[in-house]
Amino acid sequence: MEKKSQLYEGKAKKVFATDNPSLLIVSYKDDATAFNGLKKGTISGKGIINNRMSNMLMQKLEEYGVPTHFVEELSERETVVKKVTIVPLEVIVRNISAGSFSKRYGIEEGKVFEKPTVEFSYKNDDLGDPLINDCHAVAIEVATSEEIETIKNYALKVNDFLKTFWKECGIILVDFKLEFGKLSDGTIVLADEISPDTCRLWDSETGKKLDKDRFRRDLGGVEDAYAEVMKRLCEHM
Ligand code: TMP
């Protein structure tokens, strides 16, 4: 596998072409941003943790019946993934109120929902990733109704798996964000990453936040929290 030119640099990852037109290499950075890039910082070692963690979880999810972009881990920070066209929707699943949900509806953080919720944000930095509903997503042609159904079903399946997995690690899965992509034949697969950057994870015993909210809200101990989640995941594999 030969790494070729850089195609894209995002907030947390870089993407490179390879000698195989259907494969890419992603490289995880330690850079962290919040509030649509307004807050910037570094979480030392985060790229290594997120790369490993995301790959471990995606391999488990494949076994559970969710297709993903994962192909092969190359190094501490680099992974070969299938080339996809990203569906420009952030797919957010929530089990417990927190973050923008709590703010929008005036609900304290920590309300446990009877059933998980699924929502979409339109991935568009200029617009600040606005909330979007199914009809609007179809209207602006970011996905078809069938694709949205598939994405929702996969997102809930990911939740079923992750909720149980993290529970066994002594961690409550509050909410998370997924992104999906389309292969050249139109198949929908899970893409991007699953990590403490993209999930809210609370310690089951103490309720301590073990995710990127420590960075977003200046709570301190960010690196330790990421390391703690990684340690528990490894103990459980
Ligand atoms: P929210 O409560 O701020 O809408 O976040 C919901 C979940 O999505 C939370 O687990 C954090 C994650 N998330 C991202 O991964 N990227 C983002 O840009 C945002 C805003 C949230």
Side-chain angles (χ1 to χ4, degrees), residues 90 92 94 98-101 119 129 175-177 197-200 212 216:
E90 300 202 331
I92 295 158
R94 302 180 191 269
S100 69
F101 183 98
E119 78 205 40
D129 298 343
D175 58 29
F176 58 94
K177 185 266 300 181
D197 271 18
T198 61
C199 302
R200 283 198 175 91
K212 194 177 167 189
R216 294 189 189 99

Short mmCIF file of all heavy atoms in Angstrom, two decimals, residues 90 92 94 98-101 119 129 175-177 197-200 212 216, ligand 1:
data_model
loop_
_atom_site.label_atom_id
_atom_site.label_comp_id
_atom_site.label_asym_id
_atom_site.label_seq_id
_atom_site.Cartn_x
_atom_site.Cartn_y
_atom_site.Cartn_z
N GLU A 90 -24.74 14.62 10.00
CA GLU A 90 -24.25 14.09 11.27
C GLU A 90 -25.43 13.37 11.89
O GLU A 90 -26.51 13.96 12.05
CB GLU A 90 -23.77 15.22 12.17
CG GLU A 90 -22.63 16.01 11.54
CD GLU A 90 -21.78 16.77 12.56
OE1 GLU A 90 -22.31 17.15 13.61
OE2 GLU A 90 -20.59 16.96 12.27
N ILE A 92 -27.03 11.72 14.98
CA ILE A 92 -26.83 11.76 16.43
C ILE A 92 -27.87 10.89 17.13
O ILE A 92 -29.06 11.05 16.89
CB ILE A 92 -26.88 13.21 16.94
CG1 ILE A 92 -25.69 14.00 16.35
CG2 ILE A 92 -26.83 13.26 18.47
CD1 ILE A 92 -25.88 15.48 16.32
N ARG A 94 -29.21 9.60 20.90
CA ARG A 94 -29.16 9.98 22.31
C ARG A 94 -29.93 8.99 23.18
O ARG A 94 -31.06 8.63 22.84
CB ARG A 94 -29.79 11.36 22.52
CG ARG A 94 -29.13 12.47 21.71
CD ARG A 94 -29.80 13.81 21.96
NE ARG A 94 -29.35 14.81 21.00
CZ ARG A 94 -28.30 15.63 21.19
NH1 ARG A 94 -27.63 15.60 22.31
NH2 ARG A 94 -27.96 16.49 20.25
N ALA A 98 -28.43 15.67 27.12
CA ALA A 98 -27.18 16.38 27.36
C ALA A 98 -26.96 17.37 26.22
O ALA A 98 -27.72 17.36 25.24
CB ALA A 98 -25.99 15.41 27.45
N GLY A 99 -25.94 18.19 26.37
CA GLY A 99 -25.47 19.05 25.28
C GLY A 99 -26.55 19.89 24.63
O GLY A 99 -27.37 20.52 25.31
N SER A 100 -26.57 19.88 23.29
CA SER A 100 -27.48 20.77 22.56
C SER A 100 -28.94 20.37 22.77
O SER A 100 -29.83 21.21 22.67
CB SER A 100 -27.14 20.76 21.06
OG SER A 100 -27.45 19.52 20.48
N PHE A 101 -29.20 19.10 23.07
CA PHE A 101 -30.58 18.67 23.34
C PHE A 101 -31.09 19.35 24.60
O PHE A 101 -32.20 19.92 24.63
CB PHE A 101 -30.62 17.14 23.51
CG PHE A 101 -32.01 16.58 23.71
CD1 PHE A 101 -32.73 16.05 22.65
CD2 PHE A 101 -32.61 16.60 24.97
CE1 PHE A 101 -34.00 15.54 22.84
CE2 PHE A 101 -33.88 16.10 25.17
CZ PHE A 101 -34.58 15.57 24.10
N GLU A 119 -31.38 11.98 15.48
CA GLU A 119 -31.56 13.27 14.79
C GLU A 119 -30.43 13.47 13.80
O GLU A 119 -29.39 12.80 13.88
CB GLU A 119 -31.61 14.41 15.80
CG GLU A 119 -30.24 14.81 16.31
CD GLU A 119 -30.25 15.46 17.69
OE1 GLU A 119 -31.01 15.04 18.57
OE2 GLU A 119 -29.45 16.39 17.86
N ASP A 129 -23.68 23.64 10.84
CA ASP A 129 -24.28 22.30 10.97
C ASP A 129 -25.69 22.34 11.55
O ASP A 129 -25.96 21.77 12.62
CB ASP A 129 -23.40 21.39 11.85
CG ASP A 129 -22.01 21.15 11.28
OD1 ASP A 129 -21.80 21.40 10.09
OD2 ASP A 129 -21.13 20.72 12.06
N ASP A 175 -24.70 9.79 24.51
CA ASP A 175 -25.07 10.07 23.12
C ASP A 175 -23.83 9.95 22.25
O ASP A 175 -22.72 9.77 22.76
CB ASP A 175 -25.73 11.46 22.98
CG ASP A 175 -24.83 12.59 23.48
OD1 ASP A 175 -23.58 12.46 23.42
OD2 ASP A 175 -25.35 13.63 23.93
N PHE A 176 -24.02 10.00 20.94
CA PHE A 176 -22.87 9.94 20.02
C PHE A 176 -23.29 10.42 18.64
O PHE A 176 -24.48 10.52 18.33
CB PHE A 176 -22.27 8.53 19.94
CG PHE A 176 -23.25 7.47 19.50
CD1 PHE A 176 -23.36 7.10 18.17
CD2 PHE A 176 -24.06 6.83 20.43
CE1 PHE A 176 -24.26 6.12 17.76
CE2 PHE A 176 -24.97 5.84 20.04
CZ PHE A 176 -25.06 5.49 18.70
N LYS A 177 -22.27 10.71 17.84
CA LYS A 177 -22.47 11.19 16.47
C LYS A 177 -21.80 10.22 15.50
O LYS A 177 -20.65 9.82 15.72
CB LYS A 177 -21.84 12.58 16.34
CG LYS A 177 -22.05 13.27 15.03
CD LYS A 177 -20.95 13.09 14.02
CE LYS A 177 -19.59 13.58 14.42
NZ LYS A 177 -18.58 13.40 13.36
N ASP A 197 -14.11 11.73 21.16
CA ASP A 197 -14.42 12.99 20.46
C ASP A 197 -15.88 13.02 20.01
O ASP A 197 -16.47 14.10 19.87
CB ASP A 197 -13.57 13.11 19.17
CG ASP A 197 -12.22 13.77 19.40
OD1 ASP A 197 -11.79 13.84 20.56
OD2 ASP A 197 -11.61 14.21 18.41
N THR A 198 -16.42 11.85 19.72
CA THR A 198 -17.73 11.78 19.07
C THR A 198 -18.82 11.12 19.92
O THR A 198 -19.94 10.94 19.45
CB THR A 198 -17.62 11.02 17.72
OG1 THR A 198 -17.17 9.69 17.99
CG2 THR A 198 -16.64 11.70 16.78
N CYS A 199 -18.45 10.72 21.15
CA CYS A 199 -19.43 10.11 22.06
C CYS A 199 -19.41 10.86 23.39
O CYS A 199 -18.35 11.35 23.79
CB CYS A 199 -19.05 8.67 22.41
SG CYS A 199 -18.88 7.54 21.04
N ARG A 200 -20.55 10.92 24.07
CA ARG A 200 -20.51 11.32 25.49
C ARG A 200 -20.49 10.04 26.32
O ARG A 200 -21.38 9.20 26.17
CB ARG A 200 -21.71 12.19 25.88
CG ARG A 200 -21.59 13.62 25.41
CD ARG A 200 -22.53 14.59 26.13
NE ARG A 200 -22.25 15.94 25.68
CZ ARG A 200 -22.87 16.52 24.65
NH1 ARG A 200 -23.82 15.88 23.99
NH2 ARG A 200 -22.54 17.74 24.29
N LYS A 212 -14.92 14.31 25.26
CA LYS A 212 -14.50 15.62 24.78
C LYS A 212 -15.19 16.78 25.49
O LYS A 212 -14.71 17.92 25.39
CB LYS A 212 -14.72 15.69 23.27
CG LYS A 212 -14.02 16.85 22.59
CD LYS A 212 -14.22 16.79 21.09
CE LYS A 212 -13.82 18.07 20.42
NZ LYS A 212 -14.23 18.07 19.00
N ARG A 216 -14.37 20.73 25.73
CA ARG A 216 -15.34 21.77 25.36
C ARG A 216 -15.62 22.70 26.53
O ARG A 216 -15.77 23.90 26.36
CB ARG A 216 -16.66 21.13 24.92
CG ARG A 216 -16.60 20.31 23.64
CD ARG A 216 -18.00 19.91 23.16
NE ARG A 216 -17.92 18.96 22.06
CZ ARG A 216 -18.07 17.63 22.21
NH1 ARG A 216 -18.33 17.11 23.39
NH2 ARG A 216 -17.97 16.84 21.16
P1 TMP B 1 -24.60 17.86 20.93
O1 TMP B 1 -25.36 17.57 22.19
O2 TMP B 1 -23.64 18.98 21.05
O3 TMP B 1 -25.54 18.00 19.76
O4 TMP B 1 -23.70 16.58 20.62
C1 TMP B 1 -24.27 15.31 20.47
C2 TMP B 1 -23.16 14.27 20.29
O5 TMP B 1 -22.48 14.47 19.07
C3 TMP B 1 -22.08 14.29 21.37
O6 TMP B 1 -21.75 12.95 21.68
C4 TMP B 1 -20.91 14.97 20.73
C5 TMP B 1 -21.06 14.65 19.28
N1 TMP B 1 -20.64 15.73 18.39
C6 TMP B 1 -19.65 15.48 17.45
O7 TMP B 1 -19.11 14.38 17.38
N2 TMP B 1 -19.29 16.50 16.63
C7 TMP B 1 -19.87 17.72 16.67
O8 TMP B 1 -19.49 18.60 15.89
C8 TMP B 1 -20.89 17.95 17.64
C9 TMP B 1 -21.54 19.30 17.75
C10 TMP B 1 -21.24 16.94 18.47
#
